[in-house]
Amino acid sequence: MHSRASFACIPDTSRGRLHPEPGGEARGPRNIFQRDRDRIIHSIAFRRLRYKTQVFIAPDGDHYRVRLTHSLEVAQIGRTIARALGLDEDLTEALCLAHDIGHPPFGHAGEDALEAAMAPFGGFDHNAQTLRTLSKLESPYPLWPGLNLSWELMEGLAKHNGPVLAPNWALSEIDAEFPLGLALHASLEAQIASISDDIAYDNHDIDDGIRAGLLTLEQLLELPFVERRWRAICDRYPGARHETLLRELIREQIGVMVNDVIETTRARISAAGIETSDDVRAAERTIGGFSDELAERERTLKSFMYANLYHHPTQISAAERAAKAIADLFEAYSRDTALLPQEWRESLPVEQPMRARHIGDFLAGMTDRFAVNCHRDIFGGEHEGFGK
C-alpha cells in the first residue's frame, strides 16, 4: 500500500452509502472504495460496454477499441497518476471504470439522437445517466435499489468535469435524495479520472484512426509537437518497423501527458495550500490537470482529431444512420409499448414524462448490436453496416 496524502479521499472517513448495509463495510478485507470498484466490474451495465462505440460504430474489426477497453485503459492511466500523487487508487480506478456506463449505443451520435427525442421530456445526458444507471437501474441486491455506491464515488461521477450548476432532471433527482454538493469541485481522484479519460482517447483514437485508414501519419505530422517527437523516435530506433514506431509515438505521448499532469497538479496543490480533500472541493479552480502549455497543445490535437477523424465523411455517414436508428426506435416504443420486453412493459409508468424517460432508459442501456437487431426486428430488412 502506497502512502496516502492528506488531501486524498480516505476510505475510513467516507461519507458512506445512501442505504445502510447489514454489517457495514466490516465484512472482509475490502474497504468501501474497493467494494465500489468490484460492484462496478461485476455489473451488467459494465459488461455491456464491450459492445458500445468508442470511435467506430459497431466495428467489424477485432482490434478497435470499444467503451470497455477504453475504460480499462483510462483506469490504468488513472491509477498511475493517483499513485504518484498519493491519492486513493481504488476510488480513482472505480471512477475511471464507471465514467462511461451511461453512454447510449452508437457513441455521441446515439446520445445526440436520444437527447433530441427526449427534449420534450427533460432531455438526456450521458453523465447523469451513468449515475441513474448505477443508483436505480442496475439493481442486483434484495434490500435496496442500485449498487448503493459510496458518496465519494457518486460525487466524483457527477462532477468529474467540474461543478454542475444546472443539473438535468436525472442528476437533480439523485442529488435531492443523496446531496452531492454539485456547486463545488469534485475530489482530486475524480479530477484525475477526468484528465485520464482525455489522455486515453487523445492518443488511442489516433491509433485506431490510422489503423482504420481514416487518418494518415502524414496528416498527424502536420502538428509540430507530434512531428518533433516522431523524428526523435525514428532517430532513436533506425530500421524499426513503421507500426512499431507508431506505437512508440503513442506511448511517448501518453507518458509526456501523464508526467505533465503529475508535475502540474503537485505545483497547484502547493500554490493553493491544499491540505485536505475539502480544500480540493472548495478551491477556486480545478487542481488536477495539464499545464497551460500542454493544455494548448491538447486543444490543438483535439481540433485536429475532430477535423480529420471524428468528422470524417465515413464517420458522419455512419453517425447519420445510427442517429436515425435511435430516433426510429424511440418513436416505435413510444407508439407501441408492446414492442418493449416484458420486464420493461411491466414497470412502464403511466404518466409522462416518466413514461418517455423509462423508454429512454431502455434505449440508453442498449449495446450497438442489440440496437441494430431491435431496429431490424421492428422495421425489417438488414440495417446497413455502420463503421470499420
Side-chain angles (χ1 to χ4, degrees):
M1 169 68 74
H2 71 287
S3 59
R4 194 180 279 111
S6 64
F7 43 78
C9 288
I10 311 298
D12 292 343
T13 59
S14 166
R15 301 190 196 185
R17 306 184 188 277
L18 176 60
H19 306 285
E21 299 188 6
E25 303 300 327
R27 290 176 287 121
R30 295 175 298 164
N31 65 43
I32 189 169
F33 300 149
Q34 291 167 341
R35 290 184 187 278
D36 282 349
R37 176 202 57 211
D38 294 352
R39 290 178 184 190
I40 290 162
I41 289 174
H42 289 290
S43 71
I44 292 173
F46 182 71
R47 293 199 292 276
R48 285 199 300 261
L49 295 177
R50 178 185 177 191
Y51 293 109
K52 288 197 175 189
T53 295
Q54 176 57 25
V55 176
F56 300 113
I57 296 173
D60 296 326
D62 293 334
H63 296 168
Y64 297 110
R65 289 166 175 86
V66 292
R67 288 284 169 188
L68 179 61
T69 55
H70 164 71
S71 297
L72 294 172
E73 290 171 339
V74 175
Q76 294 310 104
I77 293 170
R79 284 196 74 114
T80 296
I81 299 174
R83 184 180 301 117
L85 294 173
L87 303 177
D88 189 279
E89 287 187 46
D90 299 308
L91 176 58
T92 306
E93 181 182 22
L95 288 161
C96 293
L97 292 172
H99 80 283
D100 270 352
I101 276 177
H103 266 288
F106 311 136
H108 293 289
E111 179 170 8
D112 291 345
L114 195 51
E115 163 64 27
M118 291 186 62
F121 311 104
F124 177 85
D125 172 73
H126 81 263
N127 195 48
Q129 190 69 21
T130 293
L131 282 97
R132 182 171 171 82
T133 300
L134 296 175
S135 64
K136 298 180 183 299
L137 304 179
E138 179 86 17
S139 293
Y141 301 107
L143 297 179
W144 55 79
L147 298 184
N148 200 30
L149 300 171
S150 70
W151 183 90
E152 288 78 9
L153 184 61
M154 296 291 286
E155 177 226 20
L157 291 172
K159 303 184 299 185
H160 62 274
N161 289 323
V164 181
L165 303 181
N168 80 338
W169 64 271
L171 185 52
S172 294
E173 280 186 359
I174 293 164
D175 185 60
E177 187 176 39
F178 199 21
L180 299 173
L182 296 180
L184 299 175
H185 286 279
S187 65
L188 204 43
E189 284 83 355
Q191 295 180 32
I192 293 309
S194 179
I195 201 68
S196 298
D197 183 27
D198 288 345
I199 293 171
Y201 74 72
D202 280 344
N203 292 288
H204 296 148
D205 289 2
I206 291 173
D207 189 19
D208 280 356
I210 291 177
R211 184 185 301 277
L214 302 187
L215 279 181
T216 67
L217 179 61
E218 289 69 30
Q219 287 175 305
L220 190 61
L221 296 183
E222 293 174 6
L223 300 174
F225 54 90
V226 177
E227 196 270 344
R228 288 193 298 271
R229 186 160 293 116
W230 173 255
R231 296 305 170 201
I233 290 170
C234 290
D235 291 343
R236 196 182 315 141
Y237 303 107
R241 294 169 57 237
H242 184 275
E243 182 181 352
T244 302
L245 294 174
L246 181 59
R247 292 177 125 185
E248 184 66 20
L249 173 67
I250 300 299
R251 282 196 293 272
E252 282 207 8
Q253 288 199 154
I254 292 173
V256 167
M257 289 182 168
V258 166
N259 289 331
D260 181 86
V261 168
I262 292 169
E263 294 172 6
T264 300
T265 303
R266 281 176 176 158
R268 289 177 182 167
I269 289 168
S270 177
I274 299 292
E275 296 183 356
T276 68
S277 59
D278 285 338
D279 290 342
V280 175
R281 295 184 177 97
E284 295 182 356
R285 63 167 299 174
T286 298
I287 301 297
F290 295 127
S291 64
D292 290 343
E293 179 182 359
L294 190 52
E296 180 59 35
R297 289 183 183 178
E298 198 256 353
R299 283 191 291 270
T300 301
L301 179 59
K302 271 192 172 65
S303 296
F304 168 87
M305 294 294 285
Y306 273 98
N308 293 282
L309 179 60
Y310 306 139
H311 292 166
H312 189 282
T314 300
Q315 294 286 79
I316 295 294
S317 177
E320 289 172 349
R321 296 195 298 275
K324 185 178 186 305
I326 292 296
D328 288 346
L329 288 171
F330 187 89
E331 181 181 358
Y333 293 129
S334 298
R335 183 178 62 249
D336 182 5
T337 56
L339 295 171
L340 290 166
Q342 181 178 347
E343 62 180 300
W344 285 87
R345 290 199 310 272
E346 291 174 349
S347 56
L348 182 69
V350 175
E351 302 292 333
Q352 295 287 22
M354 289 76 73
R355 192 177 182 87
R357 291 171 179 175
H358 185 78
I359 293 170
D361 288 337
F362 178 55
L363 285 170
M366 288 182 173
T367 62
D368 293 9
R369 66 178 186 173
F370 185 71
V372 169
N373 290 339
C374 287
H375 192 275
R376 182 191 60 230
D377 291 345
I378 294 172
F379 296 98
E382 290 292 331
H383 203 289
E384 293 182 60
F386 284 120
K388 292 311 241 184

